[in-house]
Amino acid sequence: MRTHVTRTLRLLTVLAVGAASACAAAGCGTTGADRGVAQPRSIESTPQGTRARQVADAWDGSKAAQEWHKGFYPLGEVVQLPEGGLRGEADKRAWDIGNLDLTGKLPGAEPGSGRVTWESGGSLTAPLLQAEQAYRTLDHAEGPGPALTVTAARLGDMKVATSRGPATVPAWLFTLAGYDSPLKRAAVSPSRLPASPIEPLGQDVPTDVLAPLGGLAETAQDGRSLTVVATHGSCDDGPTVKALETSGSVVLSASTTGSDDGPCTSELRGEKVPVKLDRPLGERIVLDAFTGRPVPYGEWPVTGQSRS
């Protein structure tokens, strides 16, 4: 196994430079857990904790955070299967590979914008995806195989979990042959992310010290845990994720364990890792310590249930 001394010193050097422009420390945050196992509350005394604190200080109360709180950022599926799910292995396989067969005619151009409305109050107007655009995000198989047959589509709405709580959003409702309820696909895209108030780390930081996250896969209904996709390679024992919590954010620090110098392939793998929180997420921003940016929902790996 390789020593972590060199890479830890390298990250400390990077953080020392970044600290000069970071915000002054604002109250002490708390740490979460990785893989559902309790972790020692020592993240802030590590290089990862130093970086996480810098990211939290940069975002908490910032203009970027204010912009983020006004936007539409899904924390749940923007594609919802018919009630009861798909029936039969052929239909499930068709969905997994993204193979749809359009036999009807999709609606033409609709009005250019739709309204996202939150249960807690507030709304915003966002550009509408055309039916054809929404359909193409679902149908992308390039070879033969089982297919789901789409016979019609109409504009309706659906509920989506977001960073501001549950919201009702415009959605394309696709009629599937053999199903009584539609396949739903949100007809509005997430808001553009605000410019981050802190720069990302350089790519020369080893992944067994700190690595970028692949995406946010799930948020528990009670808000007390997250599932994120953490990336790792073929010559390690997998990823680990720790959390630093503040009043305004949850900063996640991902890294790999068990790295060695043996021959490795260049394959990048994604693994879902649950992270427990000390208190419900609420409207706090989930941030990536490596990139210094909010963790996007469903970015990696792209699956049939989370295409956007």
Side-chain angles (χ1 to χ4, degrees):
M1 305 295 287
R2 289 182 296 180
T3 177
H4 293 263
V5 174
T6 300
R7 50 187 53 83
T8 299
L9 288 174
R10 187 185 306 171
L11 180 57
L12 284 171
T13 300
V14 172
L15 295 177
V17 174
S21 59
C23 300
C28 183
T30 59
T31 59
D34 74 284
R35 296 177 180 270
V37 179
Q39 297 293 311
R41 294 181 177 273
S42 58
I43 185 174
E44 290 198 84
S45 63
T46 66
Q48 292 89 344
T50 300
R51 169 65 179 180
R53 171 53 62 186
Q54 289 178 2
V55 172
D57 288 347
W59 273 89
D60 290 356
S62 67
K63 180 180 178 181
Q66 294 174 14
E67 293 179 11
W68 187 86
H69 282 297
K70 296 177 182 178
F72 166 55
Y73 301 107
L75 296 183
E77 302 291 0
V78 295
V79 178
Q80 296 175 5
L81 295 174
E83 294 178 11
L86 297 174
R87 300 189 294 267
E89 292 304 316
D91 284 2
K92 293 176 183 178
R93 174 60 179 162
W95 180 247
D96 287 340
I97 64 176
N99 196 16
L100 276 63
D101 182 17
L102 179 62
T103 61
K105 184 177 181 181
L106 295 175
E110 292 285 335
S113 61
R115 184 164 293 277
V116 177
T117 305
W118 280 272
E119 289 185 0
S120 59
S123 64
L124 66 76
T125 299
L128 275 179
L129 286 176
Q130 299 302 313
E132 177 72 16
Q133 292 175 291
Y135 177 80
R136 292 305 172 194
T137 66
L138 307 175
D139 177 32
H140 54 81
E142 297 180 353
L148 290 166
T149 301
V150 175
T151 60
R154 63 182 177 86
L155 192 61
D157 58 48
M158 64 187 288
K159 288 194 175 181
V160 175
T162 80
S163 58
R164 296 167 58 180
T168 300
V169 307
W172 286 108
L173 312 183
F174 294 99
T175 302
L176 298 182
Y179 290 85
D180 296 329
S181 58
L183 167 65
K184 301 179 180 180
R185 203 289 184 200
V188 291
S189 298
S191 302
R192 183 184 298 274
L193 288 173
S196 176
I198 188 169
E199 292 293 323
L201 292 177
Q203 295 301 316
D204 61 338
V205 176
T207 59
D208 53 359
V209 174
L210 205 58
L213 285 163
L216 178 63
E218 185 180 357
T219 304
Q221 287 190 346
D222 62 4
R224 287 191 172 272
S225 66
L226 307 170
T227 299
V228 294
V229 177
T231 58
H232 66 103
S234 62
C235 278
D236 56 57
D237 295 333
T240 181
V241 181
K242 295 182 180 180
L244 182 141
E245 301 185 43
T246 72
S247 60
S249 62
V250 173
V251 185
L252 302 179
S253 300
S255 59
T256 59
T257 60
S259 299
D260 59 47
D261 288 318
C264 304
T265 66
S266 59
E267 177 187 6
L268 186 63
R269 305 170 182 177
E271 180 177 329
K272 290 184 178 180
V273 180
V275 182
K276 287 186 178 180
L277 303 179
D278 288 339
R279 56 193 177 86
L281 177 64
E283 295 188 4
R284 292 183 292 170
I285 310 172
V286 181
L287 298 166
D288 183 340
F290 186 97
T291 65
R293 294 172 60 84
V295 181
Y297 175 78
E299 183 174 86
W300 172 300
V302 176
T303 65
Q305 288 82 2
S306 63
R307 298 186 190 100
S308 60

